[in-house]
Amino acid sequence: MKYLFIALIFSQITFSQVEYPKDYFRSPLDVTLILSGSFAELRTNHFHSGLDIKTQQRTGLNVYAAAEGYVSRIKIQHYGYGKALYVTHPNGYTTVYGHLQAFAPKIEAYLKAKQYEKESYEIELFPTAEELQIMTDEVIAYSGNTGGSGGPHLHFEIRDQQERTINPLLFGLDVKDSKPPTLTSVFAYPKDDKSTINNSNSRLELRFMPGKNNEYKVESIQASGEIGFSIGSHDQLDLAVNKNGLSNIQTFFNGNKKFEMDFFRFSFDESRHINRFIDYEYYKTKRTHLQKLFVEKGNVLSMFKDLDDDGYITVEEGTSSVYKVRLQDFAGNESWITIPITGKKPDSIPSKPENKKNYYVFSDQATTLNDKNVTVSFPANSFYEDTFIDFKVNNDTLYLDKDVIPLQKNVTIQYDISHFKDSEKDRLYIAELLGYKKYPSYLNTRRKENFLTASSNALGSYVLVLDTTKPTIAPVNFQDGKWLSKYRYLTLKITDDLSGIGNYRATINGKWILMEYEYKDNTLTFDFNDNIVTDTKNELKVIVTDNVGNSATFEATFFRK
């Protein structure tokens, strides 16, 4: 009966997969697929939207079109996906290829013509279906490490016509995985003040022991009222040491299904609700993801299925119950967690410490807070629930509680800077104080007369920063007056210590040239193969401006035959 029960569960999970064609898309690389990132695994503020495919720790591998179609979008940015290509296919799906080093010649030529026309490295293009048609097995790009990549790899996605991203493994791509998911922690949560776990009314970590056949035994608990659970877990694929995400989680209470999380598809506008799915406070303080096996107010993730009482269980006095959790990876490997529960009320419920925070925010109302020269505005539904927060200002430093409460909308921060000198007002910006050392990190700051405004997706500490230092520019592979006839690239290093690089512009003999900015190593690079340089004597001029308007200029002469 146990195996029939498991088979029925598995059939429910795989049922949603049959709609995806298994033999339509080929692998985008001609190497064994080894993943550094799996679909929908937990990332900071979002679920991972595709597969991160390893490229043997190098760049320049051929990237193939997964099927015939046309290039429908090209996006070049310093951060994010870096150089990214989007191919739309006749069956309605779009494949996405990110962190690329370069594009195939016909795409590269199309792109550079537009970049020179607009005089911008960062660009977003939407070619028509006739402009850049692609055949199956055609090389469309070369793998790289551009944008927000932490090392060479290919980011690969498949999206449907509603721009929802779908696990590419559902389309038949093969990744070797023979290992079951690993459990790293288990926590129990009382739903309200009337619920208890082992005589406690707070989150409680439970001890567990690995057993045979990938089964984990959790210590028996005494509980009363409505409670929920969370787990820390990961999956490990063959041929890699990375800790990846799960494919499916289900829970059962006395044999009845209570909760399912199916990580097979999501839309980008819901991805931020990951902060409601995880224990946000625990993640921010311990840097560890706990996945809640219950659904709280405002969490509208579409990956939830078959919810019963939002995943909470009700434990009654004098009962003996069993709570089970099933963890599964995409290959079907699974682990089980068993938690015995005895229904027993405590003699008294411990009282919680008095809340001493100075403001109470109603989640369904817009709220504005003021102190000295700072105004903070929360749109309605910024918080998931009514919340106490701390708010105070001291010497242009804003203390907006700790970043342990998730937001579903950005907060707006405004500073009145009328007390600063006129000469300083254009060089001020709002920064978030990050890390143990409270490093000031630039926020996109707008000025209107005597007010500076920025938005942030998190609570925390913020400060006004005055930046009067201009960026630095230095040549890397050449010197003033040097012959560069045999050079393919011209490279400079640019840095800025405070507000950061805002923009740059480079010309040779007065003509704009395309320079690629790589923020990870602070370099600007020009490719002589762009065929812009035709004179023997050439005057290079580079202007770099930081985010508050401080500018530096570099000029040099070089010769080339």
PDB file of all heavy atoms in Angstrom, residues 489-523:
ATOM      1  N   TYR A 489      42.772  44.894 -28.912  1.00  0.00           N
ATOM      2  CA  TYR A 489      41.952  45.604 -27.937  1.00  0.00           C
ATOM      3  C   TYR A 489      42.713  46.763 -27.309  1.00  0.00           C
ATOM      4  O   TYR A 489      43.939  46.734 -27.192  1.00  0.00           O
ATOM      5  CB  TYR A 489      41.492  44.657 -26.824  1.00  0.00           C
ATOM      6  CG  TYR A 489      40.650  43.513 -27.307  1.00  0.00           C
ATOM      7  CD1 TYR A 489      41.199  42.231 -27.417  1.00  0.00           C
ATOM      8  CD2 TYR A 489      39.321  43.689 -27.655  1.00  0.00           C
ATOM      9  CE1 TYR A 489      40.432  41.166 -27.865  1.00  0.00           C
ATOM     10  CE2 TYR A 489      38.551  42.629 -28.105  1.00  0.00           C
ATOM     11  CZ  TYR A 489      39.107  41.364 -28.209  1.00  0.00           C
ATOM     12  OH  TYR A 489      38.351  40.315 -28.657  1.00  0.00           O
ATOM     13  N   LEU A 490      41.958  47.760 -26.902  1.00  0.00           N
ATOM     14  CA  LEU A 490      42.475  48.888 -26.140  1.00  0.00           C
ATOM     15  C   LEU A 490      41.701  48.911 -24.823  1.00  0.00           C
ATOM     16  O   LEU A 490      40.469  48.979 -24.824  1.00  0.00           O
ATOM     17  CB  LEU A 490      42.275  50.175 -26.931  1.00  0.00           C
ATOM     18  CG  LEU A 490      42.872  51.483 -26.387  1.00  0.00           C
ATOM     19  CD1 LEU A 490      43.162  52.431 -27.553  1.00  0.00           C
ATOM     20  CD2 LEU A 490      41.944  52.161 -25.412  1.00  0.00           C
ATOM     21  N   THR A 491      42.416  48.835 -23.697  1.00  0.00           N
ATOM     22  CA  THR A 491      41.764  48.650 -22.403  1.00  0.00           C
ATOM     23  C   THR A 491      42.198  49.702 -21.399  1.00  0.00           C
ATOM     24  O   THR A 491      43.381  50.029 -21.297  1.00  0.00           O
ATOM     25  CB  THR A 491      42.080  47.246 -21.840  1.00  0.00           C
ATOM     26  OG1 THR A 491      41.700  46.258 -22.800  1.00  0.00           O
ATOM     27  CG2 THR A 491      41.327  46.994 -20.546  1.00  0.00           C
ATOM     28  N   LEU A 492      41.206  50.208 -20.642  1.00  0.00           N
ATOM     29  CA  LEU A 492      41.461  51.123 -19.544  1.00  0.00           C
ATOM     30  C   LEU A 492      40.778  50.601 -18.285  1.00  0.00           C
ATOM     31  O   LEU A 492      39.809  49.839 -18.360  1.00  0.00           O
ATOM     32  CB  LEU A 492      40.926  52.531 -19.843  1.00  0.00           C
ATOM     33  CG  LEU A 492      41.483  53.258 -21.058  1.00  0.00           C
ATOM     34  CD1 LEU A 492      40.538  53.111 -22.234  1.00  0.00           C
ATOM     35  CD2 LEU A 492      41.706  54.731 -20.733  1.00  0.00           C
ATOM     36  N   LYS A 493      41.280  51.056 -17.132  1.00  0.00           N
ATOM     37  CA  LYS A 493      40.657  50.716 -15.867  1.00  0.00           C
ATOM     38  C   LYS A 493      40.026  51.961 -15.284  1.00  0.00           C
ATOM     39  O   LYS A 493      40.655  53.017 -15.211  1.00  0.00           O
ATOM     40  CB  LYS A 493      41.683  50.151 -14.883  1.00  0.00           C
ATOM     41  CG  LYS A 493      41.062  49.647 -13.578  1.00  0.00           C
ATOM     42  CD  LYS A 493      42.074  48.869 -12.747  1.00  0.00           C
ATOM     43  CE  LYS A 493      41.412  48.267 -11.509  1.00  0.00           C
ATOM     44  NZ  LYS A 493      42.353  47.435 -10.730  1.00  0.00           N
ATOM     45  N   ILE A 494      38.756  51.853 -14.878  1.00  0.00           N
ATOM     46  CA  ILE A 494      38.043  52.986 -14.302  1.00  0.00           C
ATOM     47  C   ILE A 494      37.486  52.579 -12.939  1.00  0.00           C
ATOM     48  O   ILE A 494      36.984  51.469 -12.762  1.00  0.00           O
ATOM     49  CB  ILE A 494      36.917  53.492 -15.228  1.00  0.00           C
ATOM     50  CG1 ILE A 494      35.856  52.407 -15.462  1.00  0.00           C
ATOM     51  CG2 ILE A 494      37.489  53.959 -16.559  1.00  0.00           C
ATOM     52  CD1 ILE A 494      34.644  52.901 -16.233  1.00  0.00           C
ATOM     53  N   THR A 495      37.591  53.460 -11.965  1.00  0.00           N
ATOM     54  CA  THR A 495      37.093  53.170 -10.619  1.00  0.00           C
ATOM     55  C   THR A 495      36.473  54.413 -10.013  1.00  0.00           C
ATOM     56  O   THR A 495      36.787  55.548 -10.393  1.00  0.00           O
ATOM     57  CB  THR A 495      38.226  52.682  -9.690  1.00  0.00           C
ATOM     58  OG1 THR A 495      39.241  53.691  -9.611  1.00  0.00           O
ATOM     59  CG2 THR A 495      38.843  51.395 -10.198  1.00  0.00           C
ATOM     60  N   ASP A 496      35.586  54.184  -9.050  1.00  0.00           N
ATOM     61  CA  ASP A 496      35.016  55.272  -8.261  1.00  0.00           C
ATOM     62  C   ASP A 496      34.690  54.718  -6.880  1.00  0.00           C
ATOM     63  O   ASP A 496      34.017  53.694  -6.763  1.00  0.00           O
ATOM     64  CB  ASP A 496      33.753  55.841  -8.905  1.00  0.00           C
ATOM     65  CG  ASP A 496      33.269  57.082  -8.187  1.00  0.00           C
ATOM     66  OD1 ASP A 496      33.829  58.159  -8.438  1.00  0.00           O
ATOM     67  OD2 ASP A 496      32.334  56.963  -7.376  1.00  0.00           O
ATOM     68  N   ASP A 497      35.166  55.382  -5.840  1.00  0.00           N
ATOM     69  CA  ASP A 497      35.101  54.819  -4.499  1.00  0.00           C
ATOM     70  C   ASP A 497      33.776  55.009  -3.779  1.00  0.00           C
ATOM     71  O   ASP A 497      33.465  54.274  -2.854  1.00  0.00           O
ATOM     72  CB  ASP A 497      36.222  55.410  -3.621  1.00  0.00           C
ATOM     73  CG  ASP A 497      37.599  54.925  -4.049  1.00  0.00           C
ATOM     74  OD1 ASP A 497      37.669  53.855  -4.685  1.00  0.00           O
ATOM     75  OD2 ASP A 497      38.587  55.613  -3.754  1.00  0.00           O
ATOM     76  N   LEU A 498      32.971  56.006  -4.164  1.00  0.00           N
ATOM     77  CA  LEU A 498      31.774  56.301  -3.390  1.00  0.00           C
ATOM     78  C   LEU A 498      30.490  55.993  -4.167  1.00  0.00           C
ATOM     79  O   LEU A 498      29.947  54.901  -4.077  1.00  0.00           O
ATOM     80  CB  LEU A 498      31.805  57.753  -2.918  1.00  0.00           C
ATOM     81  CG  LEU A 498      32.797  58.031  -1.770  1.00  0.00           C
ATOM     82  CD1 LEU A 498      32.825  59.504  -1.436  1.00  0.00           C
ATOM     83  CD2 LEU A 498      32.418  57.229  -0.531  1.00  0.00           C
ATOM     84  N   SER A 499      29.999  56.954  -4.944  1.00  0.00           N
ATOM     85  CA  SER A 499      28.690  56.756  -5.581  1.00  0.00           C
ATOM     86  C   SER A 499      28.728  55.745  -6.720  1.00  0.00           C
ATOM     87  O   SER A 499      27.694  55.210  -7.106  1.00  0.00           O
ATOM     88  CB  SER A 499      28.143  58.090  -6.086  1.00  0.00           C
ATOM     89  OG  SER A 499      28.997  58.668  -7.038  1.00  0.00           O
ATOM     90  N   GLY A 500      29.923  55.468  -7.274  1.00  0.00           N
ATOM     91  CA  GLY A 500      30.026  54.474  -8.332  1.00  0.00           C
ATOM     92  C   GLY A 500      29.949  55.075  -9.722  1.00  0.00           C
ATOM     93  O   GLY A 500      29.519  56.210  -9.925  1.00  0.00           O
ATOM     94  N   ILE A 501      30.356  54.291 -10.714  1.00  0.00           N
ATOM     95  CA  ILE A 501      30.359  54.741 -12.103  1.00  0.00           C
ATOM     96  C   ILE A 501      28.925  54.939 -12.583  1.00  0.00           C
ATOM     97  O   ILE A 501      28.093  54.036 -12.498  1.00  0.00           O
ATOM     98  CB  ILE A 501      31.081  53.725 -13.013  1.00  0.00           C
ATOM     99  CG1 ILE A 501      32.514  53.493 -12.528  1.00  0.00           C
ATOM    100  CG2 ILE A 501      31.058  54.198 -14.457  1.00  0.00           C
ATOM    101  CD1 ILE A 501      33.398  54.714 -12.568  1.00  0.00           C
ATOM    102  N   GLY A 502      28.659  56.139 -13.111  1.00  0.00           N
ATOM    103  CA  GLY A 502      27.334  56.431 -13.641  1.00  0.00           C
ATOM    104  C   GLY A 502      27.266  56.238 -15.141  1.00  0.00           C
ATOM    105  O   GLY A 502      26.399  55.549 -15.657  1.00  0.00           O
ATOM    106  N   ASN A 503      28.188  56.841 -15.856  1.00  0.00           N
ATOM    107  CA  ASN A 503      28.239  56.681 -17.308  1.00  0.00           C
ATOM    108  C   ASN A 503      29.636  57.024 -17.810  1.00  0.00           C
ATOM    109  O   ASN A 503      30.478  57.548 -17.070  1.00  0.00           O
ATOM    110  CB  ASN A 503      27.174  57.535 -18.008  1.00  0.00           C
ATOM    111  CG  ASN A 503      27.309  59.013 -17.681  1.00  0.00           C
ATOM    112  OD1 ASN A 503      28.234  59.685 -18.144  1.00  0.00           O
ATOM    113  ND2 ASN A 503      26.401  59.528 -16.860  1.00  0.00           N
ATOM    114  N   TYR A 504      29.862  56.732 -19.059  1.00  0.00           N
ATOM    115  CA  TYR A 504      31.153  57.012 -19.675  1.00  0.00           C
ATOM    116  C   TYR A 504      30.943  57.267 -21.166  1.00  0.00           C
ATOM    117  O   TYR A 504      29.955  56.833 -21.765  1.00  0.00           O
ATOM    118  CB  TYR A 504      32.126  55.838 -19.466  1.00  0.00           C
ATOM    119  CG  TYR A 504      31.626  54.527 -20.026  1.00  0.00           C
ATOM    120  CD1 TYR A 504      31.901  54.147 -21.329  1.00  0.00           C
ATOM    121  CD2 TYR A 504      30.858  53.666 -19.233  1.00  0.00           C
ATOM    122  CE1 TYR A 504      31.425  52.956 -21.847  1.00  0.00           C
ATOM    123  CE2 TYR A 504      30.378  52.477 -19.741  1.00  0.00           C
ATOM    124  CZ  TYR A 504      30.681  52.116 -21.046  1.00  0.00           C
ATOM    125  OH  TYR A 504      30.200  50.930 -21.561  1.00  0.00           O
ATOM    126  N   ARG A 505      31.899  57.971 -21.756  1.00  0.00           N
ATOM    127  CA  ARG A 505      31.851  58.250 -23.186  1.00  0.00           C
ATOM    128  C   ARG A 505      33.274  58.290 -23.710  1.00  0.00           C
ATOM    129  O   ARG A 505      34.151  58.942 -23.118  1.00  0.00           O
ATOM    130  CB  ARG A 505      31.144  59.573 -23.467  1.00  0.00           C
ATOM    131  CG  ARG A 505      31.081  59.937 -24.953  1.00  0.00           C
ATOM    132  CD  ARG A 505      30.327  61.244 -25.187  1.00  0.00           C
ATOM    133  NE  ARG A 505      30.338  61.619 -26.595  1.00  0.00           N
ATOM    134  CZ  ARG A 505      29.493  61.168 -27.503  1.00  0.00           C
ATOM    135  NH1 ARG A 505      28.549  60.320 -27.128  1.00  0.00           N
ATOM    136  NH2 ARG A 505      29.560  61.552 -28.761  1.00  0.00           N
ATOM    137  N   ALA A 506      33.511  57.598 -24.811  1.00  0.00           N
ATOM    138  CA  ALA A 506      34.847  57.546 -25.401  1.00  0.00           C
ATOM    139  C   ALA A 506      34.792  57.911 -26.881  1.00  0.00           C
ATOM    140  O   ALA A 506      33.847  57.523 -27.587  1.00  0.00           O
ATOM    141  CB  ALA A 506      35.442  56.150 -25.224  1.00  0.00           C
ATOM    142  N   THR A 507      35.786  58.652 -27.330  1.00  0.00           N
ATOM    143  CA  THR A 507      35.885  59.028 -28.746  1.00  0.00           C
ATOM    144  C   THR A 507      37.318  58.849 -29.225  1.00  0.00           C
ATOM    145  O   THR A 507      38.272  58.928 -28.446  1.00  0.00           O
ATOM    146  CB  THR A 507      35.469  60.489 -28.983  1.00  0.00           C
ATOM    147  OG1 THR A 507      36.312  61.357 -28.206  1.00  0.00           O
ATOM    148  CG2 THR A 507      34.017  60.727 -28.599  1.00  0.00           C
ATOM    149  N   ILE A 508      37.467  58.590 -30.493  1.00  0.00           N
ATOM    150  CA  ILE A 508      38.769  58.607 -31.177  1.00  0.00           C
ATOM    151  C   ILE A 508      38.644  59.565 -32.349  1.00  0.00           C
ATOM    152  O   ILE A 508      37.764  59.405 -33.205  1.00  0.00           O
ATOM    153  CB  ILE A 508      39.188  57.205 -31.650  1.00  0.00           C
ATOM    154  CG1 ILE A 508      39.469  56.297 -30.440  1.00  0.00           C
ATOM    155  CG2 ILE A 508      40.420  57.282 -32.548  1.00  0.00           C
ATOM    156  CD1 ILE A 508      39.860  54.873 -30.812  1.00  0.00           C
ATOM    157  N   ASN A 509      39.473  60.585 -32.316  1.00  0.00           N
ATOM    158  CA  ASN A 509      39.424  61.644 -33.339  1.00  0.00           C
ATOM    159  C   ASN A 509      38.022  62.253 -33.445  1.00  0.00           C
ATOM    160  O   ASN A 509      37.543  62.572 -34.532  1.00  0.00           O
ATOM    161  CB  ASN A 509      39.888  61.114 -34.704  1.00  0.00           C
ATOM    162  CG  ASN A 509      41.311  60.573 -34.653  1.00  0.00           C
ATOM    163  OD1 ASN A 509      42.123  61.031 -33.856  1.00  0.00           O
ATOM    164  ND2 ASN A 509      41.596  59.589 -35.501  1.00  0.00           N
ATOM    165  N   GLY A 510      37.384  62.376 -32.295  1.00  0.00           N
ATOM    166  CA  GLY A 510      36.066  63.005 -32.240  1.00  0.00           C
ATOM    167  C   GLY A 510      34.909  62.076 -32.543  1.00  0.00           C
ATOM    168  O   GLY A 510      33.751  62.472 -32.382  1.00  0.00           O
ATOM    169  N   LYS A 511      35.176  60.822 -32.970  1.00  0.00           N
ATOM    170  CA  LYS A 511      34.109  59.869 -33.286  1.00  0.00           C
ATOM    171  C   LYS A 511      33.841  58.975 -32.079  1.00  0.00           C
ATOM    172  O   LYS A 511      34.776  58.448 -31.465  1.00  0.00           O
ATOM    173  CB  LYS A 511      34.505  58.994 -34.484  1.00  0.00           C
ATOM    174  CG  LYS A 511      34.626  59.749 -35.796  1.00  0.00           C
ATOM    175  CD  LYS A 511      34.983  58.779 -36.914  1.00  0.00           C
ATOM    176  CE  LYS A 511      35.122  59.483 -38.246  1.00  0.00           C
ATOM    177  NZ  LYS A 511      35.496  58.536 -39.343  1.00  0.00           N
ATOM    178  N   TRP A 512      32.558  58.775 -31.756  1.00  0.00           N
ATOM    179  CA  TRP A 512      32.187  57.904 -30.651  1.00  0.00           C
ATOM    180  C   TRP A 512      32.640  56.476 -30.928  1.00  0.00           C
ATOM    181  O   TRP A 512      32.516  55.976 -32.059  1.00  0.00           O
ATOM    182  CB  TRP A 512      30.679  57.924 -30.446  1.00  0.00           C
ATOM    183  CG  TRP A 512      30.199  57.118 -29.263  1.00  0.00           C
ATOM    184  CD1 TRP A 512      30.107  57.532 -27.977  1.00  0.00           C
ATOM    185  CD2 TRP A 512      29.745  55.750 -29.284  1.00  0.00           C
ATOM    186  NE1 TRP A 512      29.631  56.515 -27.176  1.00  0.00           N
ATOM    187  CE2 TRP A 512      29.405  55.407 -27.951  1.00  0.00           C
ATOM    188  CE3 TRP A 512      29.617  54.787 -30.288  1.00  0.00           C
ATOM    189  CZ2 TRP A 512      28.924  54.157 -27.600  1.00  0.00           C
ATOM    190  CZ3 TRP A 512      29.144  53.526 -29.935  1.00  0.00           C
ATOM    191  CH2 TRP A 512      28.795  53.224 -28.604  1.00  0.00           C
ATOM    192  N   ILE A 513      33.191  55.811 -29.922  1.00  0.00           N
ATOM    193  CA  ILE A 513      33.579  54.407 -30.054  1.00  0.00           C
ATOM    194  C   ILE A 513      32.866  53.578 -28.990  1.00  0.00           C
ATOM    195  O   ILE A 513      32.535  54.062 -27.905  1.00  0.00           O
ATOM    196  CB  ILE A 513      35.104  54.211 -29.932  1.00  0.00           C
ATOM    197  CG1 ILE A 513      35.616  54.690 -28.568  1.00  0.00           C
ATOM    198  CG2 ILE A 513      35.827  54.885 -31.081  1.00  0.00           C
ATOM    199  CD1 ILE A 513      37.064  54.300 -28.285  1.00  0.00           C
ATOM    200  N   LEU A 514      32.641  52.333 -29.316  1.00  0.00           N
ATOM    201  CA  LEU A 514      31.966  51.401 -28.415  1.00  0.00           C
ATOM    202  C   LEU A 514      32.988  50.798 -27.465  1.00  0.00           C
ATOM    203  O   LEU A 514      33.913  50.101 -27.888  1.00  0.00           O
ATOM    204  CB  LEU A 514      31.289  50.289 -29.223  1.00  0.00           C
ATOM    205  CG  LEU A 514      30.615  49.169 -28.427  1.00  0.00           C
ATOM    206  CD1 LEU A 514      29.435  49.706 -27.641  1.00  0.00           C
ATOM    207  CD2 LEU A 514      30.178  48.041 -29.357  1.00  0.00           C
ATOM    208  N   MET A 515      32.813  51.079 -26.173  1.00  0.00           N
ATOM    209  CA  MET A 515      33.658  50.473 -25.156  1.00  0.00           C
ATOM    210  C   MET A 515      32.784  49.664 -24.205  1.00  0.00           C
ATOM    211  O   MET A 515      31.765  50.154 -23.721  1.00  0.00           O
ATOM    212  CB  MET A 515      34.453  51.528 -24.376  1.00  0.00           C
ATOM    213  CG  MET A 515      35.418  52.325 -25.232  1.00  0.00           C
ATOM    214  SD  MET A 515      36.725  53.137 -24.273  1.00  0.00           S
ATOM    215  CE  MET A 515      37.916  51.794 -24.091  1.00  0.00           C
ATOM    216  N   GLU A 516      33.185  48.420 -23.979  1.00  0.00           N
ATOM    217  CA  GLU A 516      32.438  47.539 -23.088  1.00  0.00           C
ATOM    218  C   GLU A 516      32.935  47.714 -21.659  1.00  0.00           C
ATOM    219  O   GLU A 516      34.131  47.611 -21.397  1.00  0.00           O
ATOM    220  CB  GLU A 516      32.592  46.090 -23.523  1.00  0.00           C
ATOM    221  CG  GLU A 516      32.026  45.801 -24.898  1.00  0.00           C
ATOM    222  CD  GLU A 516      31.975  44.319 -25.211  1.00  0.00           C
ATOM    223  OE1 GLU A 516      32.214  43.504 -24.275  1.00  0.00           O
ATOM    224  OE2 GLU A 516      31.686  43.961 -26.360  1.00  0.00           O
ATOM    225  N   TYR A 517      32.006  47.965 -20.748  1.00  0.00           N
ATOM    226  CA  TYR A 517      32.342  48.145 -19.335  1.00  0.00           C
ATOM    227  C   TYR A 517      32.093  46.842 -18.593  1.00  0.00           C
ATOM    228  O   TYR A 517      30.983  46.311 -18.604  1.00  0.00           O
ATOM    229  CB  TYR A 517      31.503  49.269 -18.739  1.00  0.00           C
ATOM    230  CG  TYR A 517      31.657  49.453 -17.243  1.00  0.00           C
ATOM    231  CD1 TYR A 517      32.914  49.508 -16.653  1.00  0.00           C
ATOM    232  CD2 TYR A 517      30.540  49.580 -16.420  1.00  0.00           C
ATOM    233  CE1 TYR A 517      33.053  49.679 -15.283  1.00  0.00           C
ATOM    234  CE2 TYR A 517      30.670  49.763 -15.053  1.00  0.00           C
ATOM    235  CZ  TYR A 517      31.934  49.799 -14.491  1.00  0.00           C
ATOM    236  OH  TYR A 517      32.073  49.972 -13.129  1.00  0.00           O
ATOM    237  N   GLU A 518      33.132  46.297 -17.957  1.00  0.00           N
ATOM    238  CA  GLU A 518      33.010  45.110 -17.124  1.00  0.00           C
ATOM    239  C   GLU A 518      33.263  45.520 -15.683  1.00  0.00           C
ATOM    240  O   GLU A 518      34.400  45.761 -15.270  1.00  0.00           O
ATOM    241  CB  GLU A 518      34.017  44.043 -17.559  1.00  0.00           C
ATOM    242  CG  GLU A 518      34.021  42.788 -16.690  1.00  0.00           C
ATOM    243  CD  GLU A 518      32.630  42.226 -16.451  1.00  0.00           C
ATOM    244  OE1 GLU A 518      32.054  41.645 -17.393  1.00  0.00           O
ATOM    245  OE2 GLU A 518      32.120  42.399 -15.309  1.00  0.00           O
ATOM    246  N   TYR A 519      32.164  45.624 -14.909  1.00  0.00           N
ATOM    247  CA  TYR A 519      32.277  46.149 -13.550  1.00  0.00           C
ATOM    248  C   TYR A 519      33.036  45.214 -12.624  1.00  0.00           C
ATOM    249  O   TYR A 519      33.596  45.646 -11.611  1.00  0.00           O
ATOM    250  CB  TYR A 519      30.888  46.442 -12.976  1.00  0.00           C
ATOM    251  CG  TYR A 519      30.115  45.220 -12.539  1.00  0.00           C
ATOM    252  CD1 TYR A 519      30.168  44.778 -11.226  1.00  0.00           C
ATOM    253  CD2 TYR A 519      29.332  44.499 -13.435  1.00  0.00           C
ATOM    254  CE1 TYR A 519      29.461  43.659 -10.808  1.00  0.00           C
ATOM    255  CE2 TYR A 519      28.636  43.379 -13.035  1.00  0.00           C
ATOM    256  CZ  TYR A 519      28.696  42.963 -11.728  1.00  0.00           C
ATOM    257  OH  TYR A 519      28.006  41.847 -11.329  1.00  0.00           O
ATOM    258  N   LYS A 520      33.086  43.901 -12.957  1.00  0.00           N
ATOM    259  CA  LYS A 520      33.751  42.962 -12.051  1.00  0.00           C
ATOM    260  C   LYS A 520      35.256  43.187 -11.993  1.00  0.00           C
ATOM    261  O   LYS A 520      35.894  42.885 -10.986  1.00  0.00           O
ATOM    262  CB  LYS A 520      33.426  41.522 -12.468  1.00  0.00           C
ATOM    263  CG  LYS A 520      31.963  41.137 -12.255  1.00  0.00           C
ATOM    264  CD  LYS A 520      31.722  39.663 -12.435  1.00  0.00           C
ATOM    265  CE  LYS A 520      31.758  39.229 -13.883  1.00  0.00           C
ATOM    266  NZ  LYS A 520      30.608  39.715 -14.658  1.00  0.00           N
ATOM    267  N   ASP A 521      35.849  43.696 -13.073  1.00  0.00           N
ATOM    268  CA  ASP A 521      37.273  44.022 -13.032  1.00  0.00           C
ATOM    269  C   ASP A 521      37.547  45.490 -13.395  1.00  0.00           C
ATOM    270  O   ASP A 521      38.688  45.873 -13.650  1.00  0.00           O
ATOM    271  CB  ASP A 521      38.090  43.092 -13.929  1.00  0.00           C
ATOM    272  CG  ASP A 521      37.649  43.132 -15.389  1.00  0.00           C
ATOM    273  OD1 ASP A 521      36.887  44.053 -15.761  1.00  0.00           O
ATOM    274  OD2 ASP A 521      38.070  42.260 -16.157  1.00  0.00           O
ATOM    275  N   ASN A 522      36.474  46.289 -13.430  1.00  0.00           N
ATOM    276  CA  ASN A 522      36.599  47.753 -13.604  1.00  0.00           C
ATOM    277  C   ASN A 522      37.281  48.138 -14.917  1.00  0.00           C
ATOM    278  O   ASN A 522      38.044  49.103 -14.967  1.00  0.00           O
ATOM    279  CB  ASN A 522      37.369  48.375 -12.427  1.00  0.00           C
ATOM    280  CG  ASN A 522      36.691  48.145 -11.097  1.00  0.00           C
ATOM    281  OD1 ASN A 522      35.506  48.396 -10.946  1.00  0.00           O
ATOM    282  ND2 ASN A 522      37.443  47.639 -10.132  1.00  0.00           N
ATOM    283  N   THR A 523      36.987  47.423 -15.994  1.00  0.00           N
ATOM    284  CA  THR A 523      37.657  47.712 -17.257  1.00  0.00           C
ATOM    285  C   THR A 523      36.699  48.246 -18.321  1.00  0.00           C
ATOM    286  O   THR A 523      35.521  47.877 -18.366  1.00  0.00           O
ATOM    287  CB  THR A 523      38.359  46.462 -17.820  1.00  0.00           C
ATOM    288  OG1 THR A 523      37.401  45.404 -17.964  1.00  0.00           O
ATOM    289  CG2 THR A 523      39.480  46.020 -16.905  1.00  0.00           C
TER     290      THR A 523
END
